[in-house]
Amino acid sequence: MDGQRERLVVGAALVRGGRVLAARRTAPPEAAGRWELPGGKVEAGETPGDALVREVAEELGCEVEVVAWLRPLTGPGAGAAGAPADGVAVRPGLRLRVATARLVRGEPEPGEHDLLAWVGPDELDDLDWLEPDRPFLPELRHVLLTAPVASARAVFFSDDDARAVERRLRADGYDALVERERLAGEDDDEDHPWAVVTDAPAFVLDVLCDEHDGWLDEGLEAPDAPPAAPLDLPSAPRRIKKPQ
């Protein structure tokens, strides 16, 4: 490439509750209306991970933590165990790498995009993705299918208590989301409590409920077992030796 070093772009596959955050572009004109994993260029002196955290903060206004880099599926033998996540060529001189990430603080809000959507593994193919993002979708689909799902719910009367528990759980590496609780027999105009839905174990929530005057909702069913990892399929027909 005429002695020029490739510039690196990073994308964030922000995963929560078995879904990934997709962002719809507004520019340039040829990309408007299409979907991508948010991110941007790595600046001089930055590591790819630091650049991803910075870009998400600038584009979505939230703080994330990098979990793992995805291996793109670009041809026969790609994505094999131990293969480096060296990315996908976007255009001459520009290469894309994508990492899974988790929310640490805040909620994503569209800044440079006009729409955000949390997408499940069965919905990935419904979006018109930008071409450089597509090779990362097969492994991302498997990540979503095997991601921990919310299996516990803690209920609090105070929004402040619910948000404090959410922050504690995220800081400890768990997935957590605050939503308005609806108790049986209540009307929509009543003063509803707040629920924290999380993949944290019950003993962790027990401690936080004692600290913040909450209680566990025992009504959630245990999640199904995750699917097995995809098999490494042969790239050529296997020759079978016939018996003599």
Side-chain angles (χ1 to χ4, degrees):
M1 197 156 45
D2 298 331
Q4 282 190 332
R5 186 177 180 181
E6 282 188 313
R7 185 85 182 270
L8 188 62
V9 178
V10 290
L14 183 54
V15 175
R16 181 167 71 180
R19 294 178 177 270
V20 65
L21 187 71
R24 193 170 67 181
R25 292 283 295 267
T26 59
E30 60 270 18
R34 303 186 70 185
W35 295 83
E36 69 172 357
L37 299 169
K41 294 179 181 178
V42 178
E43 301 295 341
E46 272 189 320
T47 67
D50 288 343
L52 186 145
V53 172
R54 174 184 55 77
E55 286 287 345
V56 170
E58 292 174 358
E59 290 189 9
L60 304 177
C62 58
E63 183 180 343
V64 301
E65 178 182 72
V66 175
V67 176
W69 293 96
L70 296 176
R71 294 185 299 271
L73 184 64
T74 56
D86 56 357
V88 170
V90 177
R91 61 176 184 266
L94 200 62
R95 180 167 291 271
L96 171 67
R97 290 182 65 187
V98 171
T100 56
R102 70 177 189 90
L103 271 173
V104 175
R105 187 174 293 106
E107 288 293 320
E109 296 290 342
E112 300 180 9
H113 305 86
D114 69 341
L115 186 62
L116 303 178
W118 291 99
V119 183
D122 296 333
E123 302 168 307
L124 289 174
D125 293 337
D126 295 338
L127 300 186
D128 182 16
W129 293 92
L130 293 175
E131 296 304 326
D133 293 77
R134 291 182 180 274
F136 297 96
L137 298 183
E139 188 178 7
L140 177 56
R141 180 177 288 106
H142 179 66
V143 169
L144 297 180
L145 288 170
T146 56
V149 297
S151 57
R153 179 192 298 265
V155 184
F156 304 89
F157 283 113
S158 164
D159 179 23
D160 291 339
D161 284 331
R163 299 293 176 187
V165 170
E166 178 192 37
R167 289 192 296 271
R168 283 276 298 276
L169 290 171
R170 288 186 180 179
D172 289 341
Y174 298 110
D175 191 10
L177 174 66
V178 174
E179 59 184 29
R180 205 68 188 268
E181 180 71 338
R182 294 290 189 270
L183 300 181
E186 288 189 334
D187 297 326
D188 287 342
D189 58 354
E190 294 193 34
D191 186 16
H192 299 291
W194 300 83
V196 178
V197 183
T198 178
D199 59 357
F203 72 86
V204 172
L205 280 184
D206 273 333
V207 175
L208 295 176
C209 285
D210 289 341
E211 292 180 7
H212 295 273
D213 194 24
W215 70 93
L216 286 180
D217 181 358
E218 305 291 347
L220 291 184
E221 298 181 357
D224 296 333
L231 299 176
D232 289 331
L233 300 178
S235 57
R238 179 180 297 176
R239 300 184 64 182
I240 302 176
K241 185 177 180 180
K242 295 181 179 180
Q244 299 294 330

